[in-house]
């Protein structure tokens, strides 16, 4: 059976130490002009706020929704940050623990021999209807510097190795990763 092509970004699957996955709060600058969807990678910027992370950026975690007060004084809870929203009291939830194992769909064909290889994320377009991300992991993995290590496939009956397989991955180029060398590359 072929895997469904249904990118939805990154989602927490488990914790490397067996701990509990939790999100933490970060700010977003009012009127920030880019959508951020549930499952998108985000990076730290000035004053500790977050923005969408481009492929290859170091990141602080995975966006899990936002609460804010809009220009009319209404408190809004949303799975995504709508671009250019003018708001106050902005509280974005981010899975920022570098020991979180995330699930993500492969953008290409990934096989069992790719376990242990490294890959970057592909920043696909999210949906303003669902609020979900379109991010995936690059289907071409290797041994060079990249954001994630492939740990395996998510073991469900409808998820086979090959095109669009859902993978378990661990972050390497994470802002809080203790194993990053001075030049910003993963250390040994």
């Amino acid at each position: 059976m072929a895997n469904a092509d249904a990118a939805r970004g990154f989602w927490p699957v488990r914790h490397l130490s067996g701990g509990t996955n939790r999100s933490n709060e970060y700010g977003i600058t009012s009127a920030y002009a880019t959508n951020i969807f549930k499952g998108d990678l985000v990076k730290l910027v000035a004053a500790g706020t977050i923005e969408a992370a481009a492929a290859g950026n170091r990141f602080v975690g995975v966006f899990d929704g936002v609460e804010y007060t809009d220009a009319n004084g209404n408190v809004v809870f949303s799975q995504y940050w709508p671009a250019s929203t003018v708001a106050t009291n902005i509280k974005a939830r981010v899975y920022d623990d570098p020991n979180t194992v995330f699930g993500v769909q492969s953008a290409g064909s990934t096989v069992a021999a790719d376990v242990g290889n490294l890959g970057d994320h592909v920043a696909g377009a999210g949906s303003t209807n669902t609020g979900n991300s379109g991010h995936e992991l690059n289907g071409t993995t290797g041994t060079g510097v990249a954001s994630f290590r492939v740990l395996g496939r998510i073991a469900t009956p409808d998820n086979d190795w090959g095109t669009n397989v859902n993978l378990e991955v661990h972050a390497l180029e994470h802002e809080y990763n203790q194993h990053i060398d001075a030049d910003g590359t993963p250390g040994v």
Side-chain angles (χ1 to χ4, degrees):
M1 170 190 264
N3 297 317
D5 186 4
R8 62 178 175 140
F10 291 80
W11 65 93
V13 173
R14 61 185 174 90
H15 194 275
L16 281 176
S17 71
T20 302
N21 290 317
R22 294 185 178 96
S23 60
N24 286 303
E25 291 183 354
Y26 290 82
I28 299 174
T29 301
S30 179
Y32 174 61
T34 301
N35 290 327
I36 307 175
F37 296 95
K38 180 178 180 140
D40 281 359
L41 294 179
V42 293
K43 64 182 180 178
L44 274 175
V45 294
T49 59
I50 60 166
E51 292 182 356
N57 285 160
R58 288 177 58 85
F59 58 94
V60 72
V62 173
F63 186 79
D64 189 46
V66 64
E67 169 189 343
Y68 58 88
T69 304
D70 70 14
N72 296 321
N74 300 311
V75 177
V76 177
F77 297 89
S78 179
Q79 279 203 163
Y80 81 101
W81 169 259
S84 305
T85 297
V86 175
T88 59
N89 303 318
I90 303 166
K91 299 174 191 168
R93 293 178 311 282
V94 176
Y95 287 102
D96 63 354
D97 186 331
N99 290 314
T100 300
V101 173
F102 291 102
V104 65
Q105 179 178 279
S106 172
S109 183
T110 306
V111 297
D114 291 321
V115 171
N117 281 354
L118 310 177
D120 280 320
H121 84 282
V122 177
S127 168
T128 57
N129 291 328
T130 66
N132 291 330
S133 174
H135 286 200
E136 298 176 286
L137 189 76
N138 190 323
T140 304
T141 63
T143 57
V145 175
S147 298
F148 291 94
R149 180 177 308 280
V150 175
L151 300 179
R153 75 173 177 88
I154 294 178
T156 58
D158 60 346
N159 188 45
D160 296 320
W161 288 109
T163 303
N164 301 320
V165 62
N166 287 321
L167 301 167
E168 282 193 355
V169 297
H170 178 248
L172 295 178
E173 294 178 328
H174 191 286
E175 286 294 336
Y176 302 149
N177 192 330
Q178 296 297 316
H179 305 290
I180 298 294
D181 294 336
D183 66 354
T185 58
V188 179

